[in-house]
Amino acid sequence: KNQVEQSPQSLIILEGKNCTLQCNYTVSPFSNLRWYKQDTGRGPVSLTIMTFSENTKSNGRYTATLDADTKQSSLHITASQLSDSASYICVVGSGTYKYIFGTGTRLKVLA
Amino acid sequence: DAGITQSPRHKVTETGTPVTLRCHQTENHRYMYWYRQDPGHGLRLIHYSYGVKDTDKGEVSDGYSVSRSKTEDFLLTLESATSSQTSVYFCAISESFGSGELFFGEGSRLTVL
């Protein structure tokens, strides 16, 4: 069964600290892996997209890694800000149109 | 931000009534999708469209129908709403199928009493 599992479910950190969110997937066939940020009451917004051959992708303070052998990805947030408080969703593209969504990690950044 | 507008943004209705949610895009993207988001679940695909009048079912399509008469509009209809269809509905668009960027609307929160 195609699955995307994210950990932790929720996380609280202090402003300025770094954090790493995890995504493990069992999806076949694999096309790409995406990380989205979803603010409360808003739609998801793309942070990064990685294909099979890419193992690192950065977007400002966000750095995503992909290990296609172990089927794991991580999203590292550097020097967190209050505006980073959101849910972060890992999405794996499978085949031509199918996207498998994780349930997300809810991040709270405290001042 | 991608030009995607969902309407209504909030709706409360009663069991058994029909409901139509509208997604309007100004990006001229070929592919449009309807997802629902529920606690404890990732976003789940209801229906998608790959062109005008071309639609197909997703993984949770029972109780839903869609129509696309123009490139820019994708309608989701609940013929007879049930409480299990209480959810947040997201429209998404993409230029290509599977590999391209997926842009989401702001969501429509539907409550069925």
Side-chain angles (χ1 to χ4, degrees):
Chain A
K1 181 183 177 185
N2 288 329
Q3 277 189 317
V4 175
E5 295 183 347
Q6 294 187 242
S7 62
Q9 279 191 309
S10 61
L11 182 62
I12 301 174
I13 62 173
L14 292 176
E15 188 179 15
K17 298 296 187 183
N18 303 334
C19 67
T20 300
L21 314 180
Q22 300 290 344
C23 173
N24 296 340
Y25 61 92
T26 52
V27 176
S28 181
F30 174 91
S31 296
N32 51 65
L33 187 143
R34 306 150 186 254
W35 283 94
Y36 283 84
K37 178 186 179 189
Q38 185 176 21
D39 292 317
T40 301
R42 306 292 298 273
V45 175
S46 179
L47 293 174
T48 65
I49 302 176
M50 288 183 290
T51 60
F52 186 88
S53 59
E54 297 173 298
N55 53 26
T56 302
K57 196 88 123 0
S58 290
N59 179 359
R61 295 180 296 102
Y62 301 101
T63 299
T65 65
L66 172 64
D67 185 333
D69 291 332
T70 61
K71 298 187 178 181
Q72 296 179 326
S73 176
S74 64
L75 180 69
H76 186 73
I77 304 174
T78 304
S80 60
Q81 300 175 357
L82 297 178
S83 59
D84 292 330
S85 294
S87 288
Y88 292 85
I89 302 172
C90 175
V91 186
V92 177
S94 178
T96 53
Y97 78 91
K98 193 166 182 148
Y99 300 96
I100 316 297
F101 289 77
T103 55
T105 292
R106 187 178 296 246
L107 174 65
K108 178 80 172 173
V109 180
L110 299 178
Chain B
D1 291 345
I4 308 171
T5 305
Q6 291 186 229
S7 60
R9 293 291 313 280
H10 302 273
K11 185 171 181 67
V12 179
T13 191
E14 293 189 348
T15 298
T17 60
V19 175
T20 295
L21 305 180
R22 179 180 183 242
C23 178
H24 178 79
Q25 62 144 330
T26 58
E27 305 296 321
N28 201 34
H29 284 357
R30 179 179 175 187
Y31 302 97
M32 299 186 75
Y33 314 80
W34 276 108
Y35 289 91
R36 61 178 289 174
Q37 187 175 41
D38 303 291
H41 293 273
L43 281 118
R44 292 180 291 175
L45 182 65
I46 305 171
H47 282 281
Y48 66 97
S49 170
Y50 47 96
V52 174
K53 293 185 169 49
D54 293 322
T55 65
D56 206 348
K57 296 178 180 179
E59 59 184 304
V60 290
S61 59
D62 287 348
Y64 302 96
S65 63
V66 291
S67 65
R68 191 171 179 195
S69 59
K70 297 185 289 185
T71 299
E72 57 266 34
D73 289 327
F74 193 31
L75 302 181
L76 177 70
T77 297
L78 291 66
E79 301 290 347
S80 178
T82 68
S83 58
S84 64
Q85 293 176 312
T86 293
S87 186
V88 181
Y89 292 86
F90 287 97
C91 174
I93 64 173
S94 68
E95 275 188 294
S96 58
F97 213 23
S99 60
E101 185 66 74
L102 193 61
F103 299 99
F104 286 88
E106 295 296 337
S108 294
R109 181 176 293 275
L110 175 67
T111 301
V112 183
L113 302 176

